[in-house]
Amino acid sequence: MAVNNKKAITLKTLNKSNVWDLQENDVFRIWESVVKDADAKENTRRFLDIVKTAFELEEVKVDKPEVIKKYQARDFKVAQVRVDDDLKIKWAVKKKPILRITDLTYENIHHISAVKLIEVLERNFGGGWESISQSIRDIIESGFDISTTTLPQDRLKKKGSMYDKKIADGFEVLEIPKGTWVEAIFAKEKPEAEKPHFKIEEDDDDELMNNSYDDDENDEELPEIDDHYNELDEDEDEYDEDKLTEESYRTTFDADPEDLGLDVADESGDDDEY
């Protein structure tokens, strides 16, 4: 959910949250201010520590066209950067994708849309909302209003239902079939300044039930590419349709919760966006 018309992020204002607003070319531009600064050594550590939370970054040690093409084929931006007055090297930089629910953090959760969140949830789901660990749900709910309901398929979308009201209110929805029943998960972006709150809404057919920065060590060396992501350990519970009765209708609600100028030769094209 990138917001337009924001002031340009500088070295002084760069942090582990707004770094997610940057694109690869911004990383190269801000780096130029790092090497110009009198406190370059200290700023180098801080810059790399922040940037590598949102970007894969590696020095291109073999500067040959075939090597550059391999980086570009993997969506890296490759450009020359100045280390000092006598040394120039090339970096390959790529923004980390948010593909799994384990990629979600308190720093990046406000930088994705509800549509993107639903895509991530759909890619990772097994047993439904409650199959996600509480720590991940807390992260999601710090950036989104989340509501869920489980109903028979033929009653989910009736006029005036919770589903009908949520869609009208701008929520995105993920439907998870469970036999003849469907779990619907509704998500809507929260304003960043909004404080955590607790909210209960009522649906005519439901029995309400309440559910219930870490700084990396400073590293003066360039970080290596990390192309793997945490594997999910969630167990997929078998859904027993026989246990679903008229008395087991439920709806759950939870709510918790860096101008700079740099002349670099970007060899790969336009910035990638989410």
Side-chain angles (χ1 to χ4, degrees):
M1 64 179 79
V3 179
N4 295 326
N5 301 321
K6 283 187 175 181
K7 292 184 178 180
I9 297 171
T10 69
L11 176 61
K12 291 183 178 181
T13 61
L14 181 66
N15 59 55
K16 289 187 177 182
S17 178
N18 63 22
V19 67
W20 289 93
D21 286 326
L22 300 180
Q23 298 302 323
E24 289 83 355
N25 285 344
D26 298 315
V27 173
F28 294 119
R29 288 192 280 106
I30 296 177
W31 172 256
E32 184 65 14
S33 70
V34 174
V35 296
K36 287 179 179 178
D37 195 280
D39 299 321
K41 185 175 181 179
E42 178 182 345
N43 287 334
T44 296
R45 290 194 299 265
R46 175 177 176 273
F47 175 84
L48 293 177
D49 177 54
I50 294 173
V51 167
K52 69 183 181 181
T53 64
F55 291 86
E56 299 177 25
L57 187 156
E58 184 178 358
E59 178 182 354
V60 180
K61 296 181 179 179
V62 181
D63 188 5
K64 294 183 178 180
E66 57 268 30
V67 174
I68 303 300
K69 287 181 181 179
K70 288 182 180 180
Y71 278 112
Q72 293 172 342
R74 296 165 59 199
D75 297 323
F76 279 81
K77 305 295 184 184
V78 180
Q80 182 172 270
V81 296
R82 183 167 60 90
V83 177
D84 55 39
D85 292 338
D86 301 318
L87 178 61
K88 292 182 180 180
I89 61 175
K90 282 188 176 180
W91 276 355
V93 178
K94 182 175 75 171
K95 199 167 190 177
K96 291 180 179 179
I98 299 174
L99 300 176
R100 300 175 181 271
I101 55 175
T102 48
D103 295 330
L104 296 171
T105 67
Y106 284 108
E107 287 75 31
N108 66 29
I109 194 66
H110 287 285
H111 301 272
I112 65 172
S113 66
V115 172
K116 176 65 176 180
L117 175 65
I118 292 299
E119 291 175 359
V120 172
L121 293 178
E122 186 171 19
R123 187 181 296 116
N124 287 270
F125 260 31
W129 177 250
E130 292 183 6
S131 71
I132 303 176
S133 68
Q134 186 64 54
S135 60
I136 298 297
R137 279 189 276 164
D138 288 344
I139 290 171
I140 293 172
E141 290 173 330
S142 72
F144 294 86
D145 282 320
I146 300 292
S147 302
T148 73
T149 187
T150 301
L151 287 170
Q153 188 171 9
D154 58 355
R155 302 178 65 176
L156 180 66
K157 301 179 182 180
K158 72 177 186 178
K159 186 175 181 180
S161 67
M162 177 180 175
Y163 188 104
D164 191 36
K165 295 174 182 176
K166 290 294 184 182
I167 295 301
D169 197 26
F171 281 75
E172 296 294 330
V173 62
L174 173 62
E175 299 178 28
I176 306 173
K178 297 181 175 182
T180 59
W181 291 59
V182 177
E183 177 177 354
I185 301 171
F186 306 95
K188 186 177 181 181
E189 299 152 35
K190 283 182 180 178
E192 284 193 59
E194 183 176 326
K195 296 181 179 180
H197 64 281
F198 185 78
K199 174 181 66 176
I200 296 181
E201 299 174 35
E202 186 169 356
D203 188 53
D204 294 339
D205 293 314
D206 301 332
E207 176 184 340
L208 298 180
M209 180 174 67
N210 298 331
N211 290 335
S212 3
Y213 163 83
D214 126 55
D215 291 333
D216 297 325
E217 293 183 1
N218 289 334
D219 187 355
E220 296 186 29
E221 298 181 359
L222 298 181
E224 298 295 326
I225 293 178
D226 183 4
D227 279 329
H228 64 273
Y229 297 90
N230 295 327
E231 295 295 333
L232 294 176
D233 289 328
E234 268 93 53
D235 293 329
E236 182 174 349
D237 296 332
E238 186 175 332
Y239 204 77
D240 189 349
E241 187 176 342
D242 294 336
K243 294 181 180 180
L244 293 172
T245 66
E246 197 67 28
E247 290 75 20
S248 67
Y249 292 5
R250 76 182 188 279
T251 302
T252 63
F253 302 86
D254 294 306
D256 291 323
E258 192 193 82
D259 80 333
L260 298 168
L262 171 61
D263 239 348
V264 296
D266 185 345
E267 300 181 34
S268 63
D270 297 331
D271 294 341
D272 294 335
E273 296 183 354
Y274 282 48

